[in-house]
Amino acid sequence: MLGGVTLAEMHRPAFVIKPDLTEGQGLGWYATRTAEVVLVGHSGSLWGFQTNVSFSVAGKVGVVVLLNGIGNASKLARELVESLLPALRELEDRAEVAPLVPVPAAYRELLGAYRDPEFGDDSVVEWRDGKLVLLEERPGIPHHELGAHRRPAGVHDARRPAGW
């Protein structure tokens, strides 16, 4: 296993690739910089397959992108990391994290992603703060607490909350 000092040295650019100082090459890794984010990564491609592994040491997050066919794996990796960083910063800024509430066995099979076959809308059912919650992927649609509606005895269609 590599020590922290050795790993940091591998990530440090040994020479600059672009005159504007936005890209540099380290030992097996390259670094790219925008105004706020420095990513360390490595890419590869072979006969229609493209890959990229990129990570932000400061942000403590990384991604691996594997593509079949045409695409820009490095660009997609950067976009993914940059989209994750604000959410991670928000989590770090929270003073207190709610305790983990286990999912009751009866609800476990309901968790996951769903797609409306008629309209193609996506939604996700998650266990949050001790409640079963429906998260809509469309902007502006509030989360819907599924446990807020009591069903009459004998009704077992738990996949659809009242009002659907």
Side-chain angles (χ1 to χ4, degrees):
M1 181 184 293
L2 293 175
V5 173
T6 304
L7 192 58
E9 184 66 21
M10 290 175 69
H11 298 165
R12 187 179 63 80
F15 61 91
V16 176
I17 297 172
K18 289 190 175 181
D20 64 358
L21 306 177
T22 59
E23 290 187 21
Q25 182 67 46
L27 181 59
W29 297 95
Y30 61 84
T32 59
R33 177 176 59 89
T34 60
E36 295 183 20
V37 179
V38 175
L39 288 185
V40 177
H42 191 86
S43 294
S45 63
L46 179 68
W47 299 315
F49 300 97
Q50 297 180 31
T51 64
N52 180 274
V53 57
S54 289
F55 52 92
S56 166
V57 176
K60 299 178 184 173
V61 66
V63 298
V64 175
V65 175
L66 309 169
L67 299 177
N68 296 0
I70 298 171
N72 187 333
S74 298
K75 180 181 177 192
L76 179 56
R78 173 167 286 285
E79 290 171 356
L80 289 170
V81 170
E82 288 178 348
S83 68
L84 289 170
L85 286 173
L88 292 172
R89 283 188 205 114
E90 181 183 323
L91 286 174
E92 288 177 357
D93 290 343
R94 291 185 183 178
E96 190 176 314
V97 176
L100 178 65
V101 178
V103 179
Y107 290 153
R108 286 186 192 135
E109 70 179 42
L110 302 176
L111 303 178
Y114 291 85
R115 172 162 284 187
D116 183 318
E118 185 176 348
F119 299 107
D121 293 334
D122 294 327
S123 53
V124 176
V125 175
E126 290 185 355
W127 184 253
R128 289 190 174 191
D129 301 321
K131 299 172 187 151
L132 202 57
V133 178
L134 178 70
L135 311 172
E136 293 286 346
E137 302 241 339
R138 293 175 290 167
I141 306 277
H143 299 334
H144 184 77
E145 186 180 321
L146 298 176
H149 303 286
R150 294 284 177 194
R151 298 191 141 302
V155 176
H156 300 292
D157 184 13
R159 292 182 190 264
R160 293 182 177 236
W164 268 20

